[in-house]
Amino acid sequence: MHRPPLALLLLLLCRRAEAGEIIGGTECKPHSRPYMAHLEILTPQNHLVSCGGFLIRRNFVLTAAHCAGRFITVTLGAHNIRKKEDTWQKLEVIKQFPHPKYDDLTTRHDIMLLKLKEKANLTLAVGTLPLPPQFNFVLPGRMCRVAGWGRRQVHGEGSDTLQEVKLRLMDPQACRHYLAFDHNLQLCVGNPRKRKTAFKGDSGGPLLCAGVAQGIVSYGQKNAKPPAVFTRISHYRLWINEVLKEN
C-alpha cells in the first residue's frame, strides 16, 4: 500500500487503492453502517474503479482525494453492491473538492468532499456520520473499526458485501517506513503482528473510533502488511467547514 497502489485500480468500491480492502475482517450486519457510500469512478483514462466514502451531510460525502475522477456515482444504502436492493440510493456527484494541498506523490492531505446532485433521503439504511472537532487529537492505543468493499486477499477480488475489521491506532514510529508519514496529518493504523487491515478498494472509507469518523483510508503496503496510513480528519475540520458553508 504505498502511494500508487492507492490510486484508482479496480472496479469496485474499495478495490481501487492499495489501501483498499478489508483483510481479516467479517461481514457487516446488513445496513448496520448506514453512512457508508460506494463510489464508482470513471477515471480520465476511461477506466471504471471504485472507492469507499461516507455521508456527512444529506448532500455531501467525504472520501480520499486520490479517489477523484472524471465522473463519480455514489451508491448509498447498499450492503451487497452487486445486487440492487430497495434501500439503494444512486446519486451523481456534481462537484469534487479535493484538498488544495493534496500531493499525489506523497499522498499527504488525501481528503476530498463530494457534493451530490440531490440530497439523500435519510432512512434506516442511509444516515450521516459525525466528524471529530478540530482539536480532537485521537491518540495511539485506541481500538477502532474500518469498513469497506475492498479485497479480502492480496490478489483476490473485491468483496460483494460490506466487510469490517477492528484495528488499533499505533504509535507514529510504527509507520516510519512510510517516508512521507506525518503524525499531525495522518494516523498509523493496524498492528503489524496481525493480518488485519484495509486494502485495495477500501480507500476513502471511514475509520470509526467510538462512533466518530477519525480517519480516512489512504494507503498502505502492496503486500497488505499493516500498519496502513489514514488521513487524520480532525486536522481538516476548518477546511471541511469552509467548503460546506460555501456550497
Side-chain angles (χ1 to χ4, degrees):
M1 281 194 268
H2 56 240
R3 211 206 103 270
L6 256 158
L8 300 192
L9 261 175
L10 294 174
L11 210 173
L12 284 204
L13 176 223
C14 273
R15 297 157 224 279
R16 163 190 175 286
E18 201 63 323
E21 222 266 285
I22 301 299
I23 291 177
T26 56
E27 185 175 338
C28 295
K29 180 182 174 185
H31 312 300
S32 61
R33 303 281 178 262
Y35 45 81
M36 287 298 297
H38 183 271
L39 277 51
E40 267 192 342
I41 303 150
L42 186 65
T43 71
Q45 298 76 31
N46 289 324
H47 297 142
L48 195 59
V49 299
S50 302
C51 269
F54 49 106
L55 196 67
I56 61 166
R57 294 283 190 281
R58 287 180 61 196
N59 61 337
F60 270 95
V61 165
L62 193 59
T63 186
H66 76 254
C67 293
R70 272 181 49 202
F71 185 79
I72 301 177
T73 302
V74 171
T75 303
L76 303 170
H79 176 64
N80 185 327
I81 41 113
R82 305 257 192 197
K83 292 182 180 177
K84 192 174 186 310
E85 305 161 281
D86 293 339
T87 53
W88 281 20
Q89 295 180 41
K90 272 181 113 65
L91 301 166
E92 284 180 29
V93 171
I94 55 166
K95 193 155 185 195
Q96 301 173 45
F97 298 90
H99 194 275
K101 290 184 179 178
Y102 170 63
D103 184 340
D104 190 46
L105 292 175
T106 64
T107 321
R108 282 183 178 166
H109 312 294
D110 192 12
I111 185 170
M112 176 169 64
L113 282 158
L114 303 175
K115 186 175 183 181
L116 305 176
K117 188 174 183 180
E118 301 164 33
K119 289 185 177 181
N121 294 318
L122 300 185
T123 65
L124 288 175
V126 175
T128 57
L129 184 61
L131 301 180
Q134 182 186 357
F135 301 109
N136 183 218
F137 200 83
V138 63
L139 298 173
R142 292 280 298 276
M143 285 300 291
C144 303
R145 293 174 181 269
V146 63
W149 287 271
R151 296 187 193 178
R152 287 179 285 181
Q153 299 171 10
V154 175
H155 301 294
E157 292 284 310
S159 176
D160 292 350
T161 56
L162 187 63
Q163 307 284 312
E164 72 172 4
V165 67
K166 288 172 75 172
L167 299 172
R168 187 177 297 279
L169 300 189
M170 306 302 293
D171 288 318
Q173 53 263 36
C175 281
R176 65 185 179 277
H177 54 290
Y178 297 116
L179 300 182
F181 179 78
D182 185 331
H183 187 55
N184 292 310
L185 309 176
Q186 296 163 319
L187 297 162
C188 185
V189 183
N191 188 331
R193 293 189 294 273
K194 298 194 174 177
R195 191 63 171 170
K196 295 182 176 184
T197 189
F199 196 49
K200 291 189 183 180
D202 294 320
S203 293
L207 180 77
L208 249 75
C209 307
V212 175
Q214 294 284 359
I216 298 170
V217 179
S218 184
Y219 67 95
Q221 300 192 81
K222 284 186 176 179
N223 63 1
K225 188 180 188 304
V229 177
F230 287 56
T231 302
R232 186 186 288 274
I233 294 174
S234 60
H235 179 83
Y236 299 96
R237 274 314 301 268
L238 283 180
W239 172 76
I240 291 170
N241 291 347
E242 281 176 19
V243 174
L244 295 177
K245 186 177 174 184
E246 292 170 8
N247 294 276

